[in-house]
């Protein structure tokens, strides 16, 4: 990176569905900071996946260790990088703790829900918003121009590859049912997937 570039950190650990839902936000931040240097902090298992997106100059792994020494080491690494901006798309108690510790040393501009951050997302129903709307609200609150959009749908045009080995009948739709054990509010009923798959078949689409 050059000395004139801003340094921007985006935090989004996972899981896979959460990362896919955040790709629209990644693209929006990349577009806003078109000539600047972006770094992503994510779960180690997704480092390679994040690297294929083309948005980030570096990908940092975060084991989310409960070891205080290892956590302090990571926070020190973030602090020493002297980021101009942090976009906390994880918005967890853990990443809020990162901010609170960094604040003692002088935290950068920070978008998220961490108490005391420079650009807090205060939407009263943020937990119940679809991810695409929640991310749009957060980035607009931080001053990013979304050019009139009020939601940021996944941006997966970079996910291309040779799938001929699978012998799929086209057109097709890939369904990935399920969610984390702790994500009950995000679960779609199993029979709803069945109904959706049957509706696709009725239109000549292979699920």
């Amino acid at each position: 990176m050059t000395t004139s570039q801003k340094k921007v950190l985006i935090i989004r650990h996972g899981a896979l569905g959460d990362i896919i839902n955040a790709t629209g936000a990644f693209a929006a931040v990349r577009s806003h900071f078109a000539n600047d240097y972006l770094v992503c902090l994510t779960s180690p298992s997704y480092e390679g996946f994040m690297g294929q997106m083309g948005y980030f100059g570096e990908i940092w792994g975060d084991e989310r260790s409960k070891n205080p020494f290892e956590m302090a080491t990571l926070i020190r690494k973030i602090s020493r990088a002297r980021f101009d901006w942090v976009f906390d798309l994880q918005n967890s108690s853990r990443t809020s703790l990162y901010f609170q510790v960094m604040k003692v040393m002088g935290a950068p501009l920070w978008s998220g829900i961490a108490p005391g951050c420079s650009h807090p997302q205060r939407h009263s129903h943020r937990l119940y918003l679809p991810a695409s709307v929640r991310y749009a609200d957060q980035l607009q609150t931080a001053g990013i121009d979304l050019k009139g959009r009020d939601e940021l749908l996944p941006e997966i045009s970079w996910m291309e590859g040779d799938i001929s080995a699978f012998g799929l009948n086209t057109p097709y739709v890939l369904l990935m049912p399920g969610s984390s054990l702790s994500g009950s509010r995000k679960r779609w009923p199993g029979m709803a997937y069945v109904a959706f798959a049957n509706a696709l078949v009725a239109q000549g689409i292979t699920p």
Side-chain angles (χ1 to χ4, degrees), residues 133-170:
V133 178
R134 187 172 69 250
Y135 289 135
D137 178 76
Q138 178 175 344
L139 296 190
Q140 287 176 323
T141 299
I144 290 187
D145 182 8
L146 300 182
K147 298 177 174 59
R149 290 175 293 171
D150 57 4
E151 63 178 332
L152 294 170
L153 297 173
E155 170 49 64
I156 56 173
S157 58
W158 53 273
M159 290 179 66
E160 295 183 357
D162 181 9
I163 59 171
S164 59
F166 295 102
L168 297 171
N169 294 321
T170 57

Side-chain angles (χ1 to χ4, degrees), residues 12-175:
R12 179 71 259 195
H13 290 121
L16 179 60
D18 296 316
I19 289 175
I20 293 296
N21 276 326
T23 52
F26 298 159
V29 175
R30 174 75 279 174
S31 177
H32 185 82
F33 294 95
N35 300 313
D36 298 312
Y37 195 75
L38 269 61
V39 177
C40 181
L41 181 69
T42 190
S43 302
S45 56
Y46 295 114
E47 287 185 65
F49 184 64
M50 293 290 209
Q52 295 178 47
M53 297 182 186
Y55 301 138
F56 308 108
E58 294 178 57
I59 314 292
W60 294 357
D62 180 3
E63 295 279 2
R64 288 185 278 185
S65 172
K66 295 182 180 180
N67 183 309
F69 176 77
E70 293 180 356
M71 187 184 299
T73 299
L74 175 64
I75 294 174
R76 191 179 303 114
K77 178 180 180 179
I78 297 172
S79 295
R80 287 178 174 173
R82 297 187 179 280
F83 288 103
D84 298 285
W85 269 99
V86 173
F87 290 90
D88 181 7
L89 302 184
Q90 187 70 22
N91 282 319
S92 64
S93 57
R94 183 184 187 89
T95 55
S96 291
L97 177 60
Y98 291 175
F99 170 76
Q100 297 303 328
V101 176
M102 289 174 63
K103 188 169 65 171
V104 177
M105 299 174 277
L109 296 174
W110 189 289
S111 167
I113 64 170
C117 70
S118 62
H119 294 75
Q121 184 181 26
R122 293 195 173 97
H123 197 291
S124 57
H125 301 296
R126 66 171 301 279
L127 286 177
Y128 302 98
L129 295 175
S132 59
V133 178
R134 187 172 69 250
Y135 289 135
D137 178 76
Q138 178 175 344
L139 296 190
Q140 287 176 323
T141 299
I144 290 187
D145 182 8
L146 300 182
K147 298 177 174 59
R149 290 175 293 171
D150 57 4
E151 63 178 332
L152 294 170
L153 297 173
E155 170 49 64
I156 56 173
S157 58
W158 53 273
M159 290 179 66
E160 295 183 357
D162 181 9
I163 59 171
S164 59
F166 295 102
L168 297 171
N169 294 321
T170 57
Y172 68 90
V173 169
L174 177 65
L175 304 182

